[in-house]
Amino acid sequence: MNPGRKGLVLAEPLLFERSKSGKGGMELPEWDVETYPTEEIPPHLLRKEEAKLPELSEPEVVRHFTRLSTYNYSLDAGFYPLGSCTMKYNPKLNDWAANLEDFTEAHPYAPYRHQQGLLELLWELKEDLKEIAGMDEVCLHPAAGSHGELLGILLIRAYHQERGDTKRTQVLIPDSAHGTNPSSAAICDLTAVTLPSGPDGLIDMAALDQLMTEKVAAIMLTNPNTCGLFETRIQEVIDLVHQRGGLVYFDGANMNALVGMARPGDMGADVLHFNVHKTFSTPHGGGGPGAGPIGLKSLLADYLPRPLLAKRGEELILDYNRPKSIGRVRSFYGNIGVLIRAWTYIRSMGPDGLVQMTGQAVLNANYIKARLEQDFHAPFGQAHCMHEVLLTDRGQKASTMDFAKGLIDRGFHPPTVYFPLVVSGALLIEPTETESKLALDAFCDAMLELKAMDAETLQASPTGAFVRRVDETLAARKPILRWKEES
Ligand SMILES: Cc1ncc(COP(=O)(O)O)c(C=O)c1O
């Protein structure tokens, strides 16, 4: 048990542990149908024993989850500078729109003639995303950025296969990339080949020249990259890949630095994903909810998954007649709630608002950089960063993890730690446009206070959180993912 905030103790048993046989919060009506559909279920799928579900009263369940929600840190509670994750404030207007009854009650199997309003919204979102990214087509199906990566690479693979270019089995991925990039390539049965960064943190052109052979299907690049740096040689990189027959996958997780300023499609990208839950604000984290629409150039459009949202005259339809399609990647039209929030955010901001959003996000990161770079090592020496600033623990008395834990005691969510892997002891700080100068200053002051503390005291933090330091190595090596009744 851990001492918690204000002397509290985290004494929150699992619902299973609190369960008492015979308790319940509801009563089901008597079974009043004559047939029992067991004969339609193959015997091996039938449960042999009753499911051991927890038995509790309604107030016990409500209080359990309410308590847990207060132990959590959220964007509505404070500053959340988790680099690469774009934890911006999510306007409540988005939730209002997504919760409108006409959307929440729409049945996915209803004929599309009855869903023209929803389809119109999705169509407008598609058009907006095309414009923002400079792409010819957009598909809204993927349910996360990583899912968009998977779809994008499947399209690239289909493109090469149709041309009979089956020797292209490699995907070049810079060493600063997010881990989902190589895993997406691997899931598509392609080999991820690491492309080393140069001493400036950018793609190393000599290494690219060497690795970009006729075996390469695509490069997956992130711009700005996860070091918070704009790939200044982007044009050379893309031209080289294209000249040698490869395609360009653009990881759009960092679109918060580009929207309204620069378009991946204009840079030459063939396909990109948006993390609309990040850039266009849906509360996310811990694995969802998300949406990862992809934008693409027309050379990949034939392979898009079914059904494609299309226009027939004035009517919006779902087009299933796509003979070269790679198949389906998601049921129906995508993760609707997240897509409605993205539409609401884009439309409520308007073009000027989006430009301002990007500028403010970049300005905020540079403000933190300017305030902290005398005291914290900023690798690569660039004068400016994009929407996130990379610092490290080089030269500090305490480690990156100690700073992260110390920030918790001061009421901040820590930045991303130990990522990207290209520098040791990374602290990747992404303030987003949401934050005021007051909040940025409070964060920088906290970082400087932690630096001034003696290492031993800092290493004891967090002292005011419900959960103190956990054994992360043990958790990674021997994860306990399933509750088991104590025997
Ligand atoms: C650079 C980058 N690429 C891809 C992803 C994957 O996106 P998602 O978490 O939506 O699957 C992330 C997520 O944090 C990311 O930061």
Side-chain angles (χ1 to χ4, degrees), residues 139 148-161 188 247 270-271 294-297 299-305 324-326:
C139 168
E149 290 173 29
L150 173 68
L151 174 57
I153 297 295
L154 285 173
L155 299 185
I156 289 176
R157 199 179 67 167
Y159 167 86
H160 289 304
Q161 276 174 354
C188 295
L247 295 186
D270 297 299
V271 52
I294 60 163
L296 49 134
K297 293 283 172 59
L299 82 172
L300 295 171
D302 282 350
Y303 316 109
L304 276 173
K324 292 187 188 171
S325 164
I326 54 131

Short mmCIF file of all heavy atoms in Angstrom, two decimals, residues 139 148-161 188 247 270-271 294-297 299-305 324-326:
data_model
loop_
_atom_site.label_atom_id
_atom_site.label_comp_id
_atom_site.label_asym_id
_atom_site.label_seq_id
_atom_site.Cartn_x
_atom_site.Cartn_y
_atom_site.Cartn_z
N CYS A 139 -9.15 8.42 -46.56
CA CYS A 139 -9.98 7.30 -46.08
C CYS A 139 -10.07 7.42 -44.56
O CYS A 139 -9.05 7.53 -43.88
CB CYS A 139 -9.32 5.98 -46.48
SG CYS A 139 -10.05 4.55 -45.66
N GLY A 148 -3.65 3.48 -39.20
CA GLY A 148 -3.45 4.19 -40.46
C GLY A 148 -2.12 3.79 -41.10
O GLY A 148 -2.03 3.61 -42.32
N GLU A 149 -1.10 3.63 -40.27
CA GLU A 149 0.21 3.18 -40.79
C GLU A 149 0.05 1.83 -41.48
O GLU A 149 0.55 1.60 -42.58
CB GLU A 149 1.21 2.99 -39.65
CG GLU A 149 1.68 4.26 -39.00
CD GLU A 149 2.54 3.96 -37.76
OE1 GLU A 149 3.20 2.91 -37.72
OE2 GLU A 149 2.53 4.78 -36.83
N LEU A 150 -0.65 0.93 -40.78
CA LEU A 150 -0.85 -0.42 -41.32
C LEU A 150 -1.55 -0.33 -42.68
O LEU A 150 -1.11 -0.94 -43.66
CB LEU A 150 -1.68 -1.24 -40.33
CG LEU A 150 -2.12 -2.62 -40.80
CD1 LEU A 150 -0.93 -3.55 -40.92
CD2 LEU A 150 -3.14 -3.22 -39.83
N LEU A 151 -2.62 0.47 -42.73
CA LEU A 151 -3.35 0.59 -43.99
C LEU A 151 -2.46 1.21 -45.08
O LEU A 151 -2.43 0.72 -46.21
CB LEU A 151 -4.61 1.44 -43.77
CG LEU A 151 -5.41 1.78 -45.03
CD1 LEU A 151 -5.82 0.51 -45.78
CD2 LEU A 151 -6.64 2.60 -44.68
N GLY A 152 -1.73 2.26 -44.72
CA GLY A 152 -0.88 2.92 -45.71
C GLY A 152 0.16 1.96 -46.29
O GLY A 152 0.39 1.94 -47.50
N ILE A 153 0.75 1.16 -45.42
CA ILE A 153 1.77 0.23 -45.91
C ILE A 153 1.12 -0.89 -46.74
O ILE A 153 1.67 -1.34 -47.75
CB ILE A 153 2.61 -0.34 -44.73
CG1 ILE A 153 3.37 0.80 -44.04
CG2 ILE A 153 3.60 -1.41 -45.21
CD1 ILE A 153 4.43 1.51 -44.88
N LEU A 154 -0.10 -1.28 -46.36
CA LEU A 154 -0.80 -2.29 -47.19
C LEU A 154 -1.07 -1.74 -48.59
O LEU A 154 -0.96 -2.45 -49.59
CB LEU A 154 -2.13 -2.68 -46.53
CG LEU A 154 -2.04 -3.61 -45.32
CD1 LEU A 154 -3.41 -3.78 -44.66
CD2 LEU A 154 -1.47 -4.97 -45.70
N LEU A 155 -1.40 -0.45 -48.68
CA LEU A 155 -1.65 0.17 -49.99
C LEU A 155 -0.36 0.18 -50.80
O LEU A 155 -0.34 -0.12 -52.01
CB LEU A 155 -2.17 1.60 -49.84
CG LEU A 155 -3.48 1.82 -49.10
CD1 LEU A 155 -3.89 3.29 -49.17
CD2 LEU A 155 -4.61 0.96 -49.65
N ILE A 156 0.73 0.54 -50.13
CA ILE A 156 2.03 0.61 -50.83
C ILE A 156 2.41 -0.79 -51.33
O ILE A 156 2.86 -0.96 -52.46
CB ILE A 156 3.11 1.18 -49.88
CG1 ILE A 156 2.85 2.68 -49.66
CG2 ILE A 156 4.51 0.92 -50.40
CD1 ILE A 156 3.79 3.37 -48.68
N ARG A 157 2.17 -1.78 -50.49
CA ARG A 157 2.50 -3.15 -50.89
C ARG A 157 1.65 -3.58 -52.09
O ARG A 157 2.15 -4.15 -53.06
CB ARG A 157 2.27 -4.10 -49.71
CG ARG A 157 2.98 -5.41 -49.85
CD ARG A 157 2.74 -6.29 -48.66
NE ARG A 157 1.34 -6.71 -48.60
CZ ARG A 157 0.88 -7.68 -47.81
NH1 ARG A 157 1.70 -8.29 -46.98
NH2 ARG A 157 -0.38 -8.00 -47.81
N ALA A 158 0.35 -3.23 -52.04
CA ALA A 158 -0.55 -3.59 -53.16
C ALA A 158 -0.08 -2.90 -54.45
O ALA A 158 -0.11 -3.50 -55.53
CB ALA A 158 -1.97 -3.19 -52.82
N TYR A 159 0.36 -1.66 -54.32
CA TYR A 159 0.84 -0.90 -55.49
C TYR A 159 2.02 -1.60 -56.15
O TYR A 159 2.04 -1.83 -57.36
CB TYR A 159 1.23 0.51 -55.03
CG TYR A 159 2.02 1.33 -56.02
CD1 TYR A 159 1.39 2.08 -57.00
CD2 TYR A 159 3.42 1.36 -55.95
CE1 TYR A 159 2.12 2.85 -57.90
CE2 TYR A 159 4.16 2.12 -56.85
CZ TYR A 159 3.51 2.85 -57.82
OH TYR A 159 4.24 3.60 -58.71
N HIS A 160 3.01 -1.98 -55.33
CA HIS A 160 4.19 -2.65 -55.90
C HIS A 160 3.81 -4.02 -56.47
O HIS A 160 4.30 -4.41 -57.53
CB HIS A 160 5.28 -2.81 -54.84
CG HIS A 160 5.94 -1.52 -54.46
ND1 HIS A 160 6.54 -0.68 -55.39
CD2 HIS A 160 6.12 -0.92 -53.26
CE1 HIS A 160 7.04 0.38 -54.77
NE2 HIS A 160 6.80 0.26 -53.48
N GLN A 161 2.94 -4.72 -55.75
CA GLN A 161 2.56 -6.06 -56.21
C GLN A 161 1.86 -5.98 -57.55
O GLN A 161 2.12 -6.78 -58.46
CB GLN A 161 1.68 -6.75 -55.18
CG GLN A 161 2.53 -7.42 -54.10
CD GLN A 161 1.71 -8.00 -52.96
OE1 GLN A 161 0.49 -7.81 -52.89
NE2 GLN A 161 2.38 -8.69 -52.05
N CYS A 188 2.90 -6.15 -42.13
CA CYS A 188 2.63 -6.29 -43.57
C CYS A 188 3.66 -7.23 -44.23
O CYS A 188 3.78 -7.25 -45.45
CB CYS A 188 2.69 -4.93 -44.25
SG CYS A 188 1.41 -3.83 -43.70
N LEU A 247 8.14 4.42 -52.50
CA LEU A 247 7.09 5.39 -52.17
C LEU A 247 7.38 5.98 -50.77
O LEU A 247 8.21 5.45 -50.03
CB LEU A 247 5.72 4.72 -52.19
CG LEU A 247 5.24 4.23 -53.56
CD1 LEU A 247 3.80 3.71 -53.47
CD2 LEU A 247 5.33 5.30 -54.63
N ASP A 270 3.40 10.24 -50.47
CA ASP A 270 2.39 9.48 -51.22
C ASP A 270 1.21 9.10 -50.34
O ASP A 270 0.10 8.95 -50.81
CB ASP A 270 3.02 8.21 -51.80
CG ASP A 270 4.11 8.55 -52.79
OD1 ASP A 270 3.80 9.21 -53.80
OD2 ASP A 270 5.29 8.22 -52.53
N VAL A 271 1.49 8.88 -49.05
CA VAL A 271 0.42 8.52 -48.12
C VAL A 271 0.84 8.97 -46.73
O VAL A 271 2.03 8.94 -46.40
CB VAL A 271 0.10 6.99 -48.21
CG1 VAL A 271 1.33 6.12 -48.07
CG2 VAL A 271 -0.95 6.55 -47.19
N ILE A 294 -6.26 8.20 -43.28
CA ILE A 294 -5.08 8.38 -44.13
C ILE A 294 -5.41 9.29 -45.31
O ILE A 294 -6.54 9.29 -45.81
CB ILE A 294 -4.48 7.04 -44.63
CG1 ILE A 294 -5.51 6.26 -45.46
CG2 ILE A 294 -3.98 6.19 -43.48
CD1 ILE A 294 -4.87 5.18 -46.31
N GLY A 295 -4.43 10.04 -45.73
CA GLY A 295 -4.52 10.82 -46.96
C GLY A 295 -3.57 10.18 -47.95
O GLY A 295 -2.53 9.63 -47.56
N LEU A 296 -3.92 10.22 -49.22
CA LEU A 296 -3.08 9.54 -50.21
C LEU A 296 -3.15 10.21 -51.57
O LEU A 296 -4.09 10.95 -51.87
CB LEU A 296 -3.52 8.07 -50.35
CG LEU A 296 -5.02 7.87 -50.53
CD1 LEU A 296 -5.29 6.88 -51.64
CD2 LEU A 296 -5.58 7.36 -49.21
N LYS A 297 -2.14 9.94 -52.35
CA LYS A 297 -2.14 10.41 -53.74
C LYS A 297 -2.93 9.41 -54.58
O LYS A 297 -3.07 8.23 -54.21
CB LYS A 297 -0.70 10.51 -54.24
CG LYS A 297 0.12 11.60 -53.55
CD LYS A 297 -0.25 12.99 -54.07
CE LYS A 297 0.40 14.11 -53.28
NZ LYS A 297 1.84 14.10 -53.24
N LEU A 299 -2.38 7.62 -57.03
CA LEU A 299 -1.78 6.36 -57.50
C LEU A 299 -2.09 5.19 -56.57
O LEU A 299 -1.96 4.03 -56.98
CB LEU A 299 -0.26 6.51 -57.72
CG LEU A 299 0.73 6.41 -56.57
CD1 LEU A 299 2.15 6.39 -57.13
CD2 LEU A 299 0.60 7.47 -55.55
N LEU A 300 -2.54 5.50 -55.32
CA LEU A 300 -2.85 4.42 -54.37
C LEU A 300 -4.36 4.21 -54.19
O LEU A 300 -4.78 3.30 -53.48
CB LEU A 300 -2.21 4.72 -53.01
CG LEU A 300 -0.68 4.74 -52.99
CD1 LEU A 300 -0.16 5.26 -51.64
CD2 LEU A 300 -0.10 3.35 -53.26
N ALA A 301 -5.16 5.06 -54.84
CA ALA A 301 -6.60 5.10 -54.52
C ALA A 301 -7.34 3.80 -54.85
O ALA A 301 -8.27 3.43 -54.14
CB ALA A 301 -7.26 6.28 -55.24
N ASP A 302 -6.92 3.10 -55.90
CA ASP A 302 -7.64 1.88 -56.29
C ASP A 302 -7.64 0.82 -55.20
O ASP A 302 -8.51 -0.05 -55.17
CB ASP A 302 -6.98 1.24 -57.53
CG ASP A 302 -7.37 1.99 -58.79
OD1 ASP A 302 -8.27 2.84 -58.70
OD2 ASP A 302 -6.74 1.72 -59.84
N TYR A 303 -6.62 0.87 -54.33
CA TYR A 303 -6.46 -0.23 -53.35
C TYR A 303 -7.15 0.06 -52.03
O TYR A 303 -7.11 -0.73 -51.11
CB TYR A 303 -4.95 -0.48 -53.09
CG TYR A 303 -4.15 -0.48 -54.37
CD1 TYR A 303 -3.29 0.56 -54.67
CD2 TYR A 303 -4.31 -1.52 -55.29
CE1 TYR A 303 -2.58 0.57 -55.87
CE2 TYR A 303 -3.62 -1.51 -56.48
CZ TYR A 303 -2.76 -0.45 -56.77
OH TYR A 303 -2.08 -0.44 -57.95
N LEU A 304 -7.79 1.24 -51.92
CA LEU A 304 -8.40 1.64 -50.65
C LEU A 304 -9.40 0.61 -50.14
O LEU A 304 -10.03 -0.09 -50.93
CB LEU A 304 -9.12 2.98 -50.83
CG LEU A 304 -8.23 4.20 -50.70
CD1 LEU A 304 -9.01 5.45 -51.06
CD2 LEU A 304 -7.66 4.32 -49.29
N PRO A 305 -9.54 0.54 -48.83
CA PRO A 305 -10.47 -0.46 -48.28
C PRO A 305 -11.92 -0.12 -48.61
O PRO A 305 -12.26 1.03 -48.84
CB PRO A 305 -10.21 -0.38 -46.77
CG PRO A 305 -9.57 0.92 -46.53
CD PRO A 305 -8.86 1.32 -47.78
N LYS A 324 -10.03 -3.70 -56.85
CA LYS A 324 -8.61 -3.83 -56.45
C LYS A 324 -8.39 -3.54 -54.96
O LYS A 324 -7.26 -3.48 -54.50
CB LYS A 324 -7.76 -2.86 -57.26
CG LYS A 324 -7.67 -3.23 -58.73
CD LYS A 324 -6.66 -2.33 -59.40
CE LYS A 324 -6.70 -2.52 -60.91
NZ LYS A 324 -5.90 -1.51 -61.58
N SER A 325 -9.49 -3.37 -54.24
CA SER A 325 -9.38 -3.00 -52.83
C SER A 325 -8.60 -4.04 -52.03
O SER A 325 -8.69 -5.24 -52.29
CB SER A 325 -10.79 -2.87 -52.25
OG SER A 325 -10.75 -2.87 -50.86
N ILE A 326 -7.85 -3.58 -51.04
CA ILE A 326 -7.15 -4.53 -50.17
C ILE A 326 -8.12 -5.23 -49.22
O ILE A 326 -7.73 -6.12 -48.47
CB ILE A 326 -6.04 -3.84 -49.34
CG1 ILE A 326 -6.63 -2.66 -48.57
CG2 ILE A 326 -4.88 -3.38 -50.19
CD1 ILE A 326 -6.27 -2.67 -47.14
#
